């Protein structure tokens, strides 16, 4: 059973993965949690679509191999195919991909041969004003200590929110993709919503 977590920066995604990992392990599941592509792909500069193509292919390699791995019950992906799908639109906005190129790469990462392996995907969002407030005030949040986030400029935050929402819109009706807005959620509320979805999808 494969679960992907993706979405806009500093929305609580990694904190939630940590909790889900612990919850599932304590429930007796054998959980595989691969290294995130951003940590594994370190040679490629982040200033071109090659970076997100590389992290997407890294995730795809894990997904294909995990489909035939009988040593784990559950795989938790910290960004994967849906993440790469969203970033291709980002690079089109940045004029580093044409519309046709963006569509080609998105079609590859969203191909049913690949994406059908992902049983549940969570798109995490957080209000742009809330992210800006956290950055502006430099305060510790429910999700991570101040100074440890990946905050960028307000314009970049807005663009990333736009592209991830657009990406989610492509899959919103498929029954496996779920959006979660953490703007006003406490950690316990966020965790409980994710647990409920995961257990519900596993029961199907």
């Amino acid at each position: 059973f494969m679960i992907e977590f993706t979405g806009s920066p500093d929305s609580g995604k990694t904190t939630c993965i940590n909790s889900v990992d612990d919850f599932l392990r304590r429930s007796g599941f054998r959980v595989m949690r691969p290294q995130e592509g951003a940590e594994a792909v370190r040679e490629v500069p982040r200033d071109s679509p090659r970076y997100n193509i590389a992290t997407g292919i890294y995730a795809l390699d894990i997904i294909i191999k995990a489909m035939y791995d009988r040593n784990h019950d559950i795989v938790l992906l910290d960004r994967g195919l849906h993440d790469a799908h969203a970033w291709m639109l980002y690079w089109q906005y940045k004029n580093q991909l044409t519309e046709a190129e963006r569509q080609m790469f998105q079609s590859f990462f969203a191909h049913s041969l690949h994406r059908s392996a992902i049983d549940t995907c969570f798109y995490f969002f957080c209000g742009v004003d809330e992210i800006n407030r956290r950055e502006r005030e430099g305060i510790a949040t429910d999700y991570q200590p101040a100074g440890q986030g990946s905050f960028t400029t307000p314009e970049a935050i807005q663009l990333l929110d736009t592209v991830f929402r657009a990406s989610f819109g492509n899959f919103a009706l498929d029954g496996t993709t779920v959006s979660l807005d953490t703007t006003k959620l406490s950690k316990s509320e966020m965790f409980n919503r994710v647990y409920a979805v995961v257990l519900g999808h596993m029961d199907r």
Side-chain angles (χ1 to χ4, degrees):
F1 193 89
M2 290 195 220
I3 309 170
E4 179 184 345
F5 297 81
T6 189
S8 53
D10 305 298
S11 53
K13 172 182 61 66
T14 301
T15 298
C16 195
I17 295 172
N18 291 337
S19 179
V20 171
D21 187 14
D22 182 61
F23 170 75
L24 292 172
R25 288 178 186 274
R26 285 188 286 105
S27 299
F29 293 102
R30 300 171 301 167
V31 181
M32 174 184 177
R33 184 178 175 183
Q35 186 178 31
E36 183 186 359
E39 298 171 357
V41 179
R42 308 189 72 173
E43 308 85 355
V44 183
R46 298 190 179 197
D47 59 356
S48 88
R50 290 189 185 94
Y51 175 75
N52 297 106
I53 293 168
T55 58
I57 291 172
Y58 165 83
L60 179 58
D61 181 65
I62 291 171
I63 289 166
I64 292 174
K65 291 175 180 175
M67 291 172 66
Y68 301 95
D69 178 9
R70 296 296 176 260
N71 296 315
H72 301 92
D73 302 310
I74 297 173
V75 179
L76 301 180
L77 292 169
D78 189 347
R79 304 194 180 278
L81 301 182
H82 294 81
D83 191 75
H85 183 277
W87 279 98
M88 295 304 101
L89 181 57
Y90 173 88
W91 290 114
Q92 182 187 344
Y93 276 117
K94 289 293 187 178
N95 296 315
Q96 293 203 41
L97 290 177
T98 66
E99 181 177 0
E101 289 168 338
R102 184 263 301 171
Q103 291 176 345
M104 176 187 68
F105 285 118
Q106 285 187 324
S107 295
F108 172 75
F109 287 116
H111 194 285
S112 60
L113 189 65
H114 312 321
R115 209 173 64 84
S116 60
I118 299 175
D119 298 283
T120 304
C121 179
F122 290 96
Y123 276 78
F124 277 65
F125 298 103
C126 183
V128 175
D129 289 343
E130 172 64 11
I131 291 176
N132 288 332
R133 184 189 69 81
R134 295 173 187 175
E135 171 67 1
R136 186 173 59 252
E137 298 182 7
I139 60 173
T141 73
D142 274 344
Y143 305 110
Q144 57 190 358
Q148 293 186 16
S150 57
F151 296 112
T152 54
T153 66
E155 294 77 17
I157 294 169
Q158 180 64 67
L159 177 55
L160 288 171
D161 182 76
T162 298
V163 300
F164 276 98
R165 289 185 187 276
S167 177
F168 171 74
N170 282 269
F171 312 111
L173 301 178
D174 68 1
T176 65
T177 311
V178 180
S179 69
L180 186 66
D181 190 327
T182 64
T183 306
K184 297 181 179 180
L185 296 182
S186 67
K187 282 200 294 186
S188 60
E189 289 172 330
M190 176 176 68
F191 296 157
N192 287 336
R193 292 193 186 186
V194 171
Y195 298 157
V197 171
V198 169
L199 295 176
H201 284 191
M202 289 174 67
D203 281 341
R204 292 191 305 197

